[in-house]
Amino acid sequence: DTCSSLTGAVLERVERSTSQQWPGHSKQPLSTKNLTQPSGLAIDFEEEMLYFTDAVREAIERCDFNGTRRELLVSATIYPFAITVDRDFIYWTDLQLRGLYRAEKYTGHNMEEVVKRLDNSPRDIQIFREDRQNCTVVHVSLTMVGVLKVATRRGW
């Protein structure tokens, strides 16, 4: 279910929490070893894998939803930050090189620079695909200096 909640990049670990719990409760660490500064997290629901960046270690890794099967995919990048996954590729931003990169999501091979030398360091990346918009949450409210209400439904 694409509405499941997997949250990440908290201090030096990647954590999992369930959407049925009050935010911040019942967190389970997925990756705590050999992490320095995890900054980006992407969820691949089809493969049930998490992809994450570590800017200090200059690495991109993945693991399954339980934190096992962890593997290093890319170590030839300078400052990986935001990451996303689409079909057979991972895409990430590099803050120091100010670019957008991609590689095969299963192996990390065939890395290529997609966009070179942006004016500013890219801090986020998202891919929108119409066929992936199948969340069935009916209503979400978020209170922060007022109230923001978001209605999300199939066919919205």
Side-chain angles (χ1 to χ4, degrees):
D1 174 52
T2 57
C3 298
S4 296
S5 175
L6 288 166
T7 62
V10 179
L11 301 174
E12 292 87 29
R13 61 186 175 268
V14 176
E15 296 178 332
R16 175 183 184 179
S17 67
T18 62
S19 58
Q20 292 81 20
Q21 303 292 325
W22 180 256
H25 296 292
S26 189
K27 292 181 186 174
Q28 301 170 338
L30 295 178
S31 292
T32 58
K33 295 181 180 166
N34 202 19
L35 281 173
T36 308
Q37 185 183 343
S39 54
L41 177 70
I43 303 169
D44 185 343
F45 288 101
E46 287 85 15
E47 302 289 331
E48 296 187 356
M49 297 294 283
L50 299 175
Y51 294 81
F52 51 95
T53 64
D54 189 328
V56 173
R57 288 183 48 244
E58 301 176 348
I60 298 173
E61 297 183 65
R62 74 179 195 159
C63 67
D64 64 17
F65 284 179
N66 296 317
T68 59
R69 298 189 313 159
R70 183 174 167 183
E71 56 189 314
L72 177 66
L73 294 176
V74 177
S75 60
T77 188
I78 295 178
Y79 201 104
F81 196 74
I83 188 168
T84 192
V85 61
D86 185 48
R87 295 184 174 95
D88 292 333
F89 294 94
I90 51 173
Y91 297 83
W92 69 94
T93 63
D94 189 298
L95 293 186
Q96 188 167 343
L97 296 176
R98 298 186 335 261
L100 171 65
Y101 297 83
R102 84 173 196 174
E104 294 175 9
K105 75 176 186 180
Y106 300 107
T107 63
H109 294 148
N110 297 318
M111 185 176 94
E112 64 180 286
E113 190 173 30
V114 178
V115 178
K116 298 179 181 185
R117 304 287 181 233
L118 295 165
D119 291 336
N120 297 303
S121 296
R123 305 226 176 234
D124 197 11
I125 180 172
Q126 298 178 19
I127 294 178
F128 175 82
R129 281 187 23 216
E130 187 70 37
D131 62 319
R132 294 290 303 142
Q133 307 308 309
N134 60 1
C135 185
T136 56
V137 171
V138 176
H139 184 263
V140 175
S141 290
L142 174 64
T143 303
M144 293 180 72
V145 190
V147 177
L148 169 66
K149 294 183 179 180
V150 178
T152 307
R153 347 193 141 129
R154 191 179 303 270
W156 185 44

